[in-house]
Amino acid sequence: MKQLVMLFFLVPTLMLGNCFWGKTGHRVTGHIAQNHLTGKTKRALKDLLEGHSLAYVSTFADEIKADRKYSGYFAWHFVNYPLGMRYEDSEKSKYGDLITGIEECIQKIKNKENSKKTRAFHLKMLIHLIGDLHQPLHASRAEDKGGNDIQVQWFGEGSNLHRVWDKNLIESYGMTYTELATELDQVDRKERKRIQEGSIYDWVDESHEICAKLYDSAKAGDKLGYQYGYKYNDLLFEQLQKGGIRLAKVLNDLFK
Ligand code: ADE
Ligand code: ZN
Ligand code: ZN
């Protein structure tokens, strides 16, 4: 009986895989964004998020993943299309994807006829999804589930390429999310404007191009550790920084 109960919980978890920018990544993105909001956006967020910070609500979309009630939102966490292709030219999933998820959130939040509960739900989802958009393996390819099927070792422990980018790299760095956000928030106005250029369509293709490079960074069976960190931490930090600064832009545009 005990084994049956275990299986009941384990099978869905294994099927879905472990596939989220870890908590630290999402919180860094939220914390950076918080420093670049207009007064109007801050007031709107205070009301909808009931005083909670962006970092605090940034992990909500992952916390509800285990609840079957929300299984329809699973496809929103990523988008897969062939490497070398642009999102706009790709065949779309009937289940939706990261981009359709972001678009739906924006529409739901914009429409003031929706209840506060609906608008708050989609706002929390949006804050999370802009983070996912900057994890290159969430704008990836279908055949290996964004690197989830590429098994590697991380400091001698079993992992996979996707997980290395979701959490192994960032956790091995050993900084808290506030420390990392403070480090990564040091951008001047000109740089901020440059990062905020473009739309979610440009940003997803940018992540997708980086993703193609990451497929060359490791192959199945590789033993990854310090060397991989030396080589890729800067790219990881750049993605987190862009995620935070662009999240602020998306929110400021939304509550203008
Ligand atoms: N499952 C299938 N593809 C995925 C991806 N790119 N990221 C996370 N989970 C996935
Ligand atoms: Zn992931
Ligand atoms: Zn996610």
Side-chain angles (χ1 to χ4, degrees), residues 35-36 40 51 91 93 100 103 148 169 191 225:
N35 290 333
H36 300 282
K40 209 166 168 201
E91 196 183 320
S93 162
T100 65
E103 283 171 338
N148 271 296
L169 265 176
E191 177 72 352

Side-chain angles (χ1 to χ4, degrees), residues 18-22 65 77 132 135 137-138 148 162-163 166:
N18 250 328
C19 57
F20 38 91
W21 225 185
K65 258 185 187 164
H77 290 263
D132 277 345
Q135 203 294 44
L137 288 151
H138 278 236
N148 271 296
H162 190 99
R163 191 180 167 85
D166 266 353

Side-chain angles (χ1 to χ4, degrees), residues 219-244:
K219 57 181 191 318
D222 276 359
K223 294 181 166 57
L224 308 180
Y226 289 115
Q227 291 298 330
Y228 197 83
Y230 294 148
K231 217 166 156 188
Y232 291 103
N233 276 338
D234 283 348
L235 176 58
L236 166 74
F237 296 154
E238 199 183 316
Q239 288 308 104
L240 292 166
Q241 182 184 65
K242 286 192 290 201

